[in-house]
Amino acid sequence: MEIFIKTPQILVLLLSSLFVFGCNGKSEEENRAEKAQRIILEHFADNITEQDAQVNRAKESEGYNFIREIVRLQQVFYLDNDRFANNISDLVLWRISNNYVTKIVEGDSWKVIAKATPLQKDIASYYGAVNSSLKSATCRSKMPLVTATNIECP
């Protein structure tokens, strides 16, 4: 039988309930053993939380790099076609993302903005923008401010 535990906090509660039933009637050695087990469980929970954070950072790095690739492809597309691609499918992407969905959110003759939306709620989205002077920017979570001569992240 497999048990799936969704959060580290639930795991800590589950494991600590196996070991902590109070100290009444127990020897000092048993109490020390239970205290050591609680310390180990807390350390284990901290490690799980840190591992989750590392996984999320890796996923966010994927989103950032993926939107940067789309920005570079838009720059090449503009040089070849004197316009920006209207769809992500117009660009030749060499890889796919397992953690993000990308789309063009705004585009016209002098700018294009693409967004990488995460499939998981607790990781950041990314916007990539290019203007007709081929300046570009990648912004975390907020749409960039694009003019004909500059791009800024809010």
Side-chain angles (χ1 to χ4, degrees), residues 2-148:
E2 288 186 33
I3 298 174
F4 294 100
I5 300 172
K6 293 187 175 194
T7 67
Q9 294 81 9
I10 292 173
L11 179 62
V12 169
L13 288 173
L14 178 65
L15 291 175
S16 63
S17 69
L18 295 174
F19 297 114
V20 181
F21 294 105
C23 298
N24 295 338
K26 295 183 180 176
S27 71
E28 190 173 320
E29 187 175 310
E30 290 173 320
N31 289 336
R32 274 187 270 142
E34 284 184 357
K35 185 175 180 180
Q37 289 170 340
R38 279 193 298 266
I39 290 169
I40 290 169
L41 288 173
E42 288 170 5
H43 177 73
F44 181 66
D46 290 343
N47 285 342
I48 289 176
T49 303
E50 179 56 30
Q51 288 172 350
D52 287 345
Q54 288 174 355
V55 168
N56 285 349
R57 284 192 296 272
K59 288 178 181 178
E60 286 184 0
S61 177
E62 176 190 335
Y64 175 84
N65 290 326
F66 199 62
I67 204 72
R68 286 299 305 153
E69 182 177 343
I70 290 170
V71 164
R72 286 191 282 290
L73 290 171
Q74 282 284 14
Q75 289 168 323
V76 170
F77 191 91
Y78 186 86
L79 289 171
D80 288 346
N81 300 289
D82 202 31
R83 68 177 181 85
F84 293 110
N86 296 323
N87 298 304
I88 297 292
S89 60
D90 294 339
L91 304 171
V92 181
L93 289 171
W94 293 100
R95 62 189 174 111
I96 60 168
S97 173
N98 295 322
N99 298 300
Y100 284 85
V101 175
T102 56
K103 68 177 183 174
I104 305 294
V105 292
E106 189 176 318
D108 55 37
S109 62
W110 62 274
K111 74 174 181 307
V112 66
I113 301 172
K115 181 180 182 185
T117 304
L119 299 174
Q120 181 180 327
K121 289 182 182 179
D122 56 347
I123 59 177
S125 59
Y126 288 92
Y127 288 89
V130 182
N131 65 15
S132 56
S133 63
L134 298 182
K135 288 187 179 179
S136 67
T138 301
C139 305
R140 186 174 197 252
S141 301
K142 295 189 179 180
M143 189 179 292
L145 307 169
V146 183
T147 67

